[in-house]
Amino acid sequence: CRECDGGHSYLPFAFAGLVCVTGLAALTISINRSALLQTDASMLFTVIVGVTITSLQFLNLYLQMELHWLEPVKSTFQTLAILSFDTKALRGSCVLGPGAEESFVFKQLLGPLCAPIVWLTLIIQKRLFPENTDTSVMFANTIGVICQGLFIAMTLSAVSPMVCYLHPGDSGSSMVASPEILCDFQGLHLR
């Protein structure tokens, strides 16, 4: 846990948000280009980027294990945690609040928050190039690609409250993602 340093504590979180919005707009435009106009090299690049992102998210599964990682593996995994919506890596507690509930709700809302950005990008694209834009088909196509690409991260986020570790002496268990929350299916863990 790092202390929030006044006015600049939100910058990593804001920068990541700006990169995500820009990347999502670029992804929306590139996904909906005519398949007949795309070169083999651009399609190959898109496939390789998709496989790379999925592989990096899969590597992040290892962070959920109760293993003591040594350097540089530990640092590498912590850097890759950004791809799984880890708000700790972006100092999200300075923006969202220090509680685990706020972080969990934010992670769950990231997927649905993509929809308005995609829709707005498609509306702008339709205004600029009205000749061949069927926004409903393009919207479904883009959301499908986003869900496919981020499936592992969204699933990890959704099941994180169920991943617990035992305390020594058989005195209960806590969540791996937020050790301050007991896995007793009551109180804060149940909400």
Side-chain angles (χ1 to χ4, degrees):
C1 185
R2 291 181 282 181
E3 188 175 325
C4 298
D5 57 351
H8 301 295
S9 58
Y10 66 90
L11 287 179
F13 198 77
F15 180 72
L18 182 64
V19 168
C20 288
V21 168
T22 306
L24 194 56
L27 181 71
T28 301
I29 292 169
S30 66
I31 286 173
N32 293 303
R33 288 183 52 209
S34 173
L36 299 175
L37 298 176
Q38 292 182 6
T39 64
D40 290 340
S42 67
M43 290 182 76
L44 177 64
F45 177 75
T46 304
V47 169
I48 289 173
V49 167
V51 169
T52 302
I53 289 173
T54 302
S55 300
L56 292 175
Q57 289 176 357
F58 186 72
L59 272 176
N60 204 17
L61 281 170
Y62 294 114
L63 277 177
Q64 303 295 325
M65 295 182 179
E66 291 184 48
L67 297 173
H68 179 69
W69 297 103
L70 301 175
E71 292 297 333
V73 176
K74 184 178 180 180
S75 299
T76 304
F77 282 162
Q78 288 173 343
T79 303
L80 297 176
I82 294 171
L83 295 174
S84 291
F85 311 138
D86 187 5
T87 56
K88 290 177 188 171
L90 298 171
R91 299 180 70 182
S93 61
C94 295
V95 177
L96 302 172
E101 292 172 330
E102 293 89 353
S103 176
F104 179 75
V105 169
F106 176 74
K107 290 177 189 178
Q108 295 305 306
L109 290 177
L110 272 180
L113 286 176
C114 290
I117 298 167
V118 169
W119 189 255
L120 181 64
T121 304
L122 290 173
I123 294 298
I124 292 170
Q125 184 178 4
K126 185 173 185 170
R127 300 280 171 139
L128 296 175
F129 308 105
E131 59 272 356
N132 58 355
T133 52
D134 185 3
T135 50
S136 60
V137 172
M138 291 178 164
F139 180 75
N141 186 29
T142 306
I143 295 298
V145 168
I146 291 168
C147 288
Q148 185 178 11
L150 298 178
F151 176 76
I152 293 171
M154 290 189 297
T155 304
L156 273 176
S157 173
V159 300
S160 66
M162 276 58 109
V163 179
C164 302
Y165 68 93
L166 292 174
H167 293 167
D170 198 29
S171 60
S173 60
S174 292
M175 287 177 47
V176 171
S178 300
E180 69 274 9
I181 299 177
L182 298 176
C183 291
D184 55 2
F185 296 97
Q186 301 176 24
L188 192 59
H189 189 253
L190 186 59
R191 284 194 271 171

